[in-house]
Amino acid sequence: MSNYTSLTAPILAWYDIEGQQHNKPLPDGEFYIGRWPANDVVVADPTVSRRHATIIYKHLRHYLIDQSSSGTLLNGTRITSSEPHLLKDQDLIVIGGTQFTFLDPFKTISKAQFDSLGMAESAPTPVAPPKPPAHPLVHGDDLSVNLETGEIQISGKEVPLTPKEFALLALLYQHQERACTRPEIRRAVWPERDGDDEQAVSDEEIDGLIRRLRQKIEQDRSNPRHIITVRQVRGYRFKL
């Protein structure tokens, strides 16, 4: 790669759960984001697919491709198809609970303009992405949930959850404005299974997981306050 290309390479910038900023130049190839350790950026979130999204370089531009079962947010719009979406400077990408910023430092400067400015010996300092709010911490009268740290407490006492129970709670919390359907639960909680129907994960498995989670976080399991059954869509929603 030439020196000019490396200096003007677009950057993906984000903050991790500890508030540490990361800037990673995007290659002239494919750049993978997801839960797999082999990805270029690993997002340790149970709602994120193993290979959630790919940024590809084509015709001198970068494009975002969603490869997940739950979708990726690009500037607040959910994209779910495998069709490439052109990335522009300052575009915001949200995968799970992590927000990324696509930065293109020299989007309007040609090589001749670049050389005339006498900038060939030093790269510009990337603009930091907007820092996300503090860890997603939500409180109810008795229940508090922190998805970043994985801490679940009832009346100040920590409640241990299994990975599947936590994945279910994280899914319902992140979509608490609506009900999550059984196919959504299958894809998010059992990503290792192939498919989103009863042949992959039975209704009995979902019902059992809901029951065990309610046993841990509901004070009255016969009249649940936090995990609400929505019979119209055969799903569930989270409520504080």
Side-chain angles (χ1 to χ4, degrees):
M1 183 183 293
S2 69
N3 186 47
Y4 170 74
T5 303
S6 64
L7 287 175
T8 60
I11 293 167
L12 195 67
W14 73 99
Y15 286 92
D16 61 27
I17 62 174
E18 296 180 351
Q20 180 69 37
Q21 181 186 335
H22 299 269
N23 294 316
K24 200 157 189 177
L26 294 171
D28 294 349
E30 296 185 343
F31 185 91
Y32 303 113
I33 306 171
R35 210 173 69 243
W36 265 339
N39 289 307
D40 296 287
V41 174
V42 178
V43 182
D45 184 321
T47 66
V48 172
S49 298
R50 286 169 287 182
R51 176 154 293 170
H52 197 99
T54 299
I55 297 176
I56 64 170
Y57 181 76
K58 186 177 181 181
H59 304 309
L60 304 179
R61 305 299 295 271
H62 283 85
Y63 296 82
L64 175 68
I65 300 176
D66 174 74
Q67 297 172 287
S68 70
S69 57
S70 56
T72 298
L73 290 180
L74 176 59
N75 297 323
T77 300
R78 187 173 300 277
I79 60 173
T80 56
S81 69
S82 58
E83 180 179 348
H85 295 262
L86 177 64
L87 290 173
K88 301 181 292 298
D89 185 50
Q90 300 294 328
D91 275 353
L92 299 180
I93 303 165
V94 177
I95 294 176
T98 302
Q99 176 176 283
F100 300 88
T101 304
F102 176 78
L103 300 170
D104 192 357
F106 289 97
K107 61 185 183 302
T108 61
I109 298 179
S110 66
K111 186 179 187 304
Q113 291 172 316
F114 180 83
D115 292 340
S116 70
L117 292 174
M119 300 173 64
E121 298 302 321
S122 62
T125 301
V127 179
K131 191 166 184 176
H135 299 320
L137 179 65
V138 293
H139 290 277
D141 293 339
D142 60 335
L143 176 67
S144 66
V145 179
N146 191 323
L147 294 187
E148 294 287 6
T149 64
E151 294 178 354
I152 314 297
Q153 295 184 349
I154 294 179
S155 302
K157 294 183 178 180
E158 187 171 354
V159 178
L161 298 181
T162 68
K164 295 297 185 189
E165 291 166 352
F166 181 78
L168 174 59
L169 182 60
L171 173 70
L172 297 177
Y173 164 72
Q174 290 180 326
H175 300 283
Q176 57 187 292
E177 75 282 356
R178 63 172 179 83
C180 292
T181 64
R182 287 174 180 264
E184 287 180 284
I185 294 173
R186 291 185 177 100
R187 291 192 297 267
V189 180
W190 286 272
E192 71 279 6
R193 308 268 186 104
D194 184 18
D196 60 3
D197 56 21
E198 291 186 45
Q199 293 181 345
V201 179
S202 69
D203 282 344
E204 288 75 16
E205 286 183 275
I206 295 176
D207 293 339
L209 186 61
I210 290 287
R211 183 175 60 254
R212 292 192 296 273
L213 183 56
R214 279 175 170 166
Q215 287 175 345
K216 292 185 177 182
I217 70 171
E218 298 284 4
Q219 290 186 341
D220 182 0
R221 294 187 294 274
S222 62
N223 185 28
R225 293 174 47 205
H226 303 300
I227 300 179
I228 310 301
T229 301
V230 182
R231 301 191 185 281
Q232 296 91 325
V233 296
R234 296 187 67 241
Y236 302 90
R237 66 181 295 262
F238 178 81
K239 183 179 180 182
L240 281 177

